[in-house]
């Protein structure tokens, strides 16, 4: 069966510091992968998605970037965090019937 | 701009009653429809997928799809306090690589 991992689970970072969040998927090959952000009490905002190694589509202009160095690895990065980057970051993968399954998420607080 | 609309709630339902959650979508070309449950502080969990008009039942959950009227609903029978959560509706976008998300309906089951 497929499993999706995210780490860390929680993170507190000062404004201006860098960020690296990692997501890995097990049990499937060449999945479509997604990064979402969810602000407190709000819906899901799609940040990036990837349909293959090195292929990244950005949905929202911002100071974040994503990379997919391996088939089942998806990384979200920032060089300098802003207060507005605080939120719940979710990684997901999509099945052939368009169902998306989420990792446990990373709660980021920028102070 | 393709949209998915949900009443934000909270929707309060007595324990044992039927909870009815509704979602409307703007894109007539959408073919895949999903309901997710999200407990506070946790990631969304897929509970129902529906791809054709009519009803689909899974245990206490029934998803209903009406493409002509562009709405999809979720019925929860014999509601339990553990059903208290935010329910997210998602619909596939044209590209088939993305889902369009509603903002969610908060459901509260009163014992």
């Amino acid at each position: 069966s497929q499993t999706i991992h995210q780490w860390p689970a929680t993170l507190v970072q000062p404004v201006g510091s860098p960020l690296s969040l990692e997501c890995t998927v097990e049990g499937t090959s060449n999945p479509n992968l997604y990064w979402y952000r969810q602000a407190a009490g709000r819906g899901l905002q799609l940040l990036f998605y990837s349909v293959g190694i090195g292929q990244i589509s950005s949905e929202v202009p911002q100071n974040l970037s994503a990379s997919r160095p391996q088939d089942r690895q998806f990384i979200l990065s920032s060089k300098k965090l802003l207060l507005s980057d605080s939120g719940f970051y979710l990684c997901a993968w999509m099945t052939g019937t368009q169902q998306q399954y989420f990792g446990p998420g990373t709660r980021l607080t920028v102070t | 701009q393709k949209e998915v609309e949900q009443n934000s709630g909270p929707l309060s339902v007595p324990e044992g009653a039927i909870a009815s959650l509704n979602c409307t979508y703007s894109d007539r070309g959408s073919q895949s429809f999903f309901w997710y449950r999200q407990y506070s502080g946790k990631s969304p969990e897929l509970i129902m997928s529906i791809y054709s008009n009519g009803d689909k039942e899974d245990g206490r959950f029934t998803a209903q799809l009406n493409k002509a009227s562009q709405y999809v609903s979720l019925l929860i029978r014999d509601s339990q306090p553990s059903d208290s959560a935010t329910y997210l509706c998602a619909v596939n976008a044209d590209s088939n690589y993305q889902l369009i998300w509603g903002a969610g309906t908060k459901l509260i089951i009163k014992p």
Side-chain angles (χ1 to χ4, degrees):
Chain A
S1 65
Q2 298 82 10
T3 308
I4 181 166
H5 302 278
Q6 279 186 253
W7 61 90
T10 59
L11 195 57
V12 180
Q13 293 283 95
V15 168
S17 64
L19 173 73
S20 181
L21 302 181
E22 187 166 342
C23 169
T24 60
V25 182
E26 295 177 357
T28 185
S29 59
N30 197 31
N32 289 353
L33 295 173
Y34 303 81
W35 278 112
Y36 290 93
R37 178 171 61 202
Q38 188 175 35
R42 305 293 294 274
L44 298 178
Q45 179 187 30
L46 178 63
L47 301 175
F48 300 95
Y49 70 94
S50 171
V51 299
I53 295 174
Q55 300 179 64
I56 307 296
S57 296
S58 173
E59 292 299 306
V60 181
Q62 60 212 333
N63 68 321
L64 299 173
S65 62
S67 63
R68 186 167 176 177
Q70 300 180 39
D71 182 42
R72 286 170 284 182
Q73 184 184 32
F74 204 19
I75 297 172
L76 182 70
S77 303
S78 174
K79 292 182 179 178
K80 289 186 178 182
L81 284 168
L82 306 173
L83 284 174
S84 57
D85 291 324
S86 293
F88 192 35
Y89 287 81
L90 293 158
C91 181
W93 72 279
M94 179 182 270
T95 70
T97 49
Q98 299 175 303
Q99 298 163 324
Q100 288 192 6
Y101 291 93
F102 290 85
T106 295
R107 189 160 305 280
L108 171 66
T109 303
V110 182
T111 61
Chain B
Q1 178 81 4
K2 298 182 176 65
E3 294 182 334
V4 173
E5 302 278 350
Q6 293 182 256
N7 189 317
S8 62
L11 174 65
S12 186
V13 173
E15 183 176 358
I18 296 175
S20 177
L21 304 163
N22 299 312
C23 169
T24 60
Y25 59 95
S26 62
D27 183 7
R28 284 195 171 275
S30 295
Q31 297 293 324
S32 306
F33 307 86
F34 308 95
W35 283 100
Y36 287 77
R37 177 177 62 201
Q38 186 176 25
Y39 292 116
S40 180
K42 301 295 185 182
S43 59
E45 172 192 12
L46 178 65
I47 53 173
M48 291 291 285
S49 307
I50 186 165
Y51 302 96
S52 56
N53 272 333
D55 294 0
K56 179 181 177 183
E57 187 174 317
D58 184 1
R60 295 186 298 111
F61 298 99
T62 299
Q64 299 175 319
L65 175 61
N66 184 324
K67 289 185 179 180
S69 300
Q70 294 177 247
Y71 82 80
V72 57
S73 61
L74 179 70
L75 302 179
I76 307 175
R77 290 182 299 280
D78 188 23
S79 296
Q80 302 296 311
S82 59
D83 295 325
S84 296
T86 296
Y87 288 80
L88 302 171
C89 174
V91 175
N92 78 296
D94 278 346
S95 71
N96 288 331
Y97 293 140
Q98 297 183 40
L99 297 181
I100 306 167
W101 294 84
T105 298
K106 185 173 184 178
L107 176 66
I108 298 172
I109 306 300
K110 299 182 297 183

